[in-house]
Amino acid sequence: MNNIIFDFIGGKTGDWKVLKTTTLIGDSLPNVTHIDKMQSSFINRFEGTWSLKGVISSLRYTEKEENEKLKAKQPDLGRKKATYAAFIPIKKNEAWWNLAQDERRKIMENQSKHIQHGMKYLPAIARQLFHSRDIDEPFDFLTWFEFAPEDEPAFNELLGIMRQSEEWKYVEREIDIRMVRM
Ligand code: HEM
């Protein structure tokens, strides 16, 4: 799946119906009622309000042992019971990008425990990270999560922890869009 470009299209139609949009920091996006997630090469005609592109890329910070634990625990997207989804585009600031890779890993994991905390919410939450920074997009990351309606409180709890973390001090734009599968 590496290097395949995906489009997240916000508009009036799509597989996912928007329930709520919250702009946490930075500029918002125009409101839409539906979102479609598809491989860019499959799009023949763009009819949406906006489109955000991202690629599934290689890991930057995850260490071997963490990766093995993740692989054992993380579910695939598209589970029947996971009828809720969250699409959260994120942009980090210049201070973050000016750090060296090892400094960023320290903030993300030693100080913020992103992976350690996140792991506790698997397999309830299925996730996929898309990278956008290197393809000249408005956000650095597009994050996508799927879960059953009864696991929404747990997902919100995890987000609460993350948004209090050192890592999130570097977030300058974040929009949280919640959806239900049509
Ligand atoms: C559900 C449990 C979660 C797990 C297991 C998890 C795990 C991970 C891992 C392993 C990485 C590092 C990828 C790499 O090595 O490059 C990562 C990156 C990231 N995650 Fe999570 N995560 C979770 C939830 C979240 C949530 C709720 C958010 C909030 C939107 C989030 C946002 C991000 C972002 C933006 C990155 C990229 C960070 C960067 O490269 O600077 N994650 N996550």
Side-chain angles (χ1 to χ4, degrees), residues 60-62 70 92 96 108 114 118 127 141 143 145 162:
R60 267 65 161 176
Y61 307 104
T62 312
L70 282 168
K92 287 182 172 173
W96 174 263
M108 214 176 144
H114 184 123
R127 53 178 271 278
F141 309 101
T143 65
F145 305 91
M162 288 194 170

Side-chain angles (χ1 to χ4, degrees), residues 29-166:
L29 278 170
N31 273 331
V32 293
T33 56
H34 294 76
I35 289 183
D36 241 351
K37 164 174 162 284
M38 57 201 300
Q39 281 190 30
S40 305
S41 52
F42 295 160
I43 303 169
N44 349 318
R45 202 151 49 106
F46 176 71
E47 290 172 342
T49 306
W50 47 255
S51 159
L52 296 169
K53 289 182 194 296
V55 288
I56 299 178
S57 185
S58 48
L59 296 172
R60 267 65 161 176
Y61 307 104
T62 312
E63 295 183 346
K64 184 170 184 272
E65 206 178 308
E66 291 163 339
N67 198 23
E68 280 163 5
K69 281 190 192 151
L70 282 168
K71 277 190 191 151
K73 225 179 155 190
Q74 66 192 5
D76 289 335
L77 297 179
R79 290 170 300 171
K80 211 169 169 212
K81 65 169 190 174
T83 54
Y84 274 21
F87 175 55
I88 311 182
I90 288 186
K91 184 173 171 63
K92 287 182 172 173
N93 63 19
E94 277 313 298
W96 174 263
W97 294 109
N98 286 333
L99 295 170
Q101 183 95 351
D102 61 336
E103 292 174 300
R104 295 199 291 257
R105 156 78 199 186
K106 275 186 197 140
I107 295 167
M108 214 176 144
E109 206 47 38
N110 303 29
Q111 297 186 46
S112 308
K113 302 190 171 40
H114 184 123
I115 302 171
Q116 200 181 305
H117 286 310
M119 200 97 74
K120 291 189 209 137
Y121 294 82
L122 307 182
I125 314 292
R127 53 178 271 278
Q128 182 68 62
L129 175 65
F130 298 83
H131 284 257
S132 293
R133 182 174 168 85
D134 294 341
I135 52 170
D136 203 20
E137 280 281 300
F139 293 91
D140 295 332
F141 309 101
L142 305 178
T143 65
W144 180 268
F145 305 91
E146 292 176 5
F147 43 88
E150 64 265 27
D151 291 318
E152 191 177 35
F155 181 66
N156 288 337
E157 178 185 86
L158 172 61
L159 269 173
I161 295 168
M162 288 194 170
R163 287 178 181 147
Q164 294 294 315
S165 71
E166 188 62 25

